[in-house]
Amino acid sequence: MRIIVQNSKCQGHARCAAQAPHIFKLDDAGYILLGDIEVAKEEELPASRGARSCPEHALELDRAPG
Ligand code: F3S
């Protein structure tokens, strides 16, 4: 699974990082780092929780294989 990060929508709410700090890394100003996130199989649950927790819908789940 992959998380597509739409950085332009991030407002620094940090709810994603509160759910899964090892998956959602923030910069010094509290915004999500640039770039999509590859998620290992065993991390899919916390990753999808974190993605859904974003009130700005900046984190989109991509479950397409490959
Ligand atoms: Fe940004 Fe949403 Fe996380 S606004 S810091 S991507 S909860």
Side-chain angles (χ1 to χ4, degrees):
M1 191 179 86
R2 193 165 62 113
I3 295 174
I4 300 168
V5 177
Q6 300 182 57
N7 293 83
S8 59
K9 290 188 178 176
C10 177
Q11 296 295 321
H13 295 294
R15 293 190 195 174
C16 54
Q19 290 282 341
H22 54 297
I23 299 173
F24 301 99
K25 306 254 167 61
L26 308 183
D27 66 17
D28 291 345
Y31 291 85
I32 190 103
L33 292 185
L34 269 178
D36 296 343
I37 302 168
E38 288 297 335
V39 179
K41 197 106 197 112
E42 60 274 18
E43 299 286 351
E44 286 189 357
L45 189 60
S48 40
R49 279 196 189 128
R52 283 198 307 265
S53 74
C54 177
E56 308 294 335
H57 305 291
L59 306 167
E60 183 188 331
L61 297 178
D62 177 10
R63 295 179 181 279

